[in-house]
Amino acid sequence: MLKVLGISGSLRDASYNTSLLRAAGELFDADEVDFSIYDGLKAIPPYDEDDDVAGAPEPVTRLREAVAEFDAILFATPEYNSSVPGHLKNALDWVSRPVATNPLRNTPVAVIGASTGMFGAVWAQAVLRKVCAAIGARVLEVELAVGHAHTRIDENGRLIDDNIREQLQDVVNVLVEQTLEAQERAVAA
Ligand SMILES: Cc1cc2nc3c(=O)[nH]c(=O)nc-3n(C[C@H](O)[C@H](O)[C@H](O)COP(=O)(O)O)c2cc1C
């Protein structure tokens, strides 16, 4: 069973990005993939290298262990002022250490995003891909920018746009295929 972790860059309950991850969760083959959404981002403290010497804070350890335990990550991020929300970047800064053995290294990562504006968080997605690549993740060449999210996700958090659902299915398929291929290559090596 493949384990895929969804990480939303939004902390709010009615987040369009978290809704997008929930919609993605319905598109994985449940016999093949165990998909869950990380819920502990809000508890991550600001990165302080002094706190990262002898045992990181517990919420950080939990996040690092979750990233290590899962085979692939699906991020859905909003855009805050043309970039990644600060708390998500901060969480990734924690995950990035120790450099050589950080749990994101070689992990297949797909990035999607939603915003209420027309561009669907494309700049935040680009920044997030760059950050994940810098950390050593295997960033997949997939993209899904959900603009005008309030017209595509209803007040109950349901994705109501079939075209977006098809594109989301493509992202899900690529993530699964490429994660399985990477695992096969690792076994063969
Ligand atoms: C602090 C802040 C900054 C924002 N900056 C942008 C932005 O640069 N570009 C954009 O398209 N939307 C921006 N937005 C609007 C978000 O796209 C919108 O709030 C979206 O619903 C957030 O995602 P969520 O529903 O997953 O929380 C911003 C929102 C906030 C709260």
Side-chain angles (χ1 to χ4, degrees):
M1 194 70 133
L2 213 59
K3 290 183 66 124
V4 178
L5 184 64
I7 299 182
S8 172
S10 175
L11 303 175
R12 69 188 191 96
D13 281 345
S15 159
Y16 295 120
N17 284 280
T18 309
S19 296
L20 202 55
L21 286 180
R22 286 200 197 96
E26 292 171 7
L27 301 175
F28 287 101
D29 179 349
D31 294 329
E32 188 184 28
V33 177
D34 173 1
F35 178 75
S36 49
I37 298 177
Y38 196 70
D39 65 357
L41 228 53
K42 194 169 179 169
I44 306 277
Y47 186 82
D48 181 339
E49 208 170 341
D50 291 340
D51 294 339
D52 199 15
V53 269
E58 189 278 327
V60 172
T61 303
R62 200 185 142 223
L63 175 63
R64 284 175 173 162
E65 286 176 356
V67 172
E69 185 195 338
F70 282 75
D71 300 303
I73 312 279
L74 175 60
F75 286 99
T77 187
E79 187 163 289
Y80 284 179
N81 300 304
S82 303
S83 189
V84 178
H87 55 268
L88 180 56
K89 174 64 165 55
N90 176 62
L92 288 170
D93 289 338
W94 280 108
V95 168
S96 72
R97 302 282 141 157
V99 174
T101 58
N102 84 69
L104 207 52
R105 191 165 287 283
N106 293 322
T107 301
V109 160
V111 175
I112 58 176
S115 76
T116 48
M118 65 188 290
F119 297 114
V122 277
W123 293 286
Q125 290 185 50
V127 172
L128 183 52
R129 285 188 194 98
K130 183 176 160 189
V131 169
C132 288
I135 295 174
R138 192 186 301 268
V139 181
L140 305 187
E141 287 184 19
V142 290
E143 193 170 336
L144 175 56
V146 181
H148 297 142
H150 51 293
T151 67
R152 291 167 157 153
I153 293 168
D154 73 12
E155 59 279 10
N156 299 313
R158 305 277 314 166
L159 181 61
I160 50 173
D161 185 312
D162 289 338
N163 184 264
I164 297 291
R165 183 173 290 98
E166 271 175 37
Q167 294 180 57
L168 190 54
Q169 182 73 68
D170 290 343
V171 170
V172 160
N173 292 348
V174 171
L175 184 59
V176 171
E177 278 161 24
Q178 299 214 4
T179 304
L180 289 171
E181 277 175 26
Q183 287 185 341
E184 278 165 24
R185 277 198 302 274
V187 169

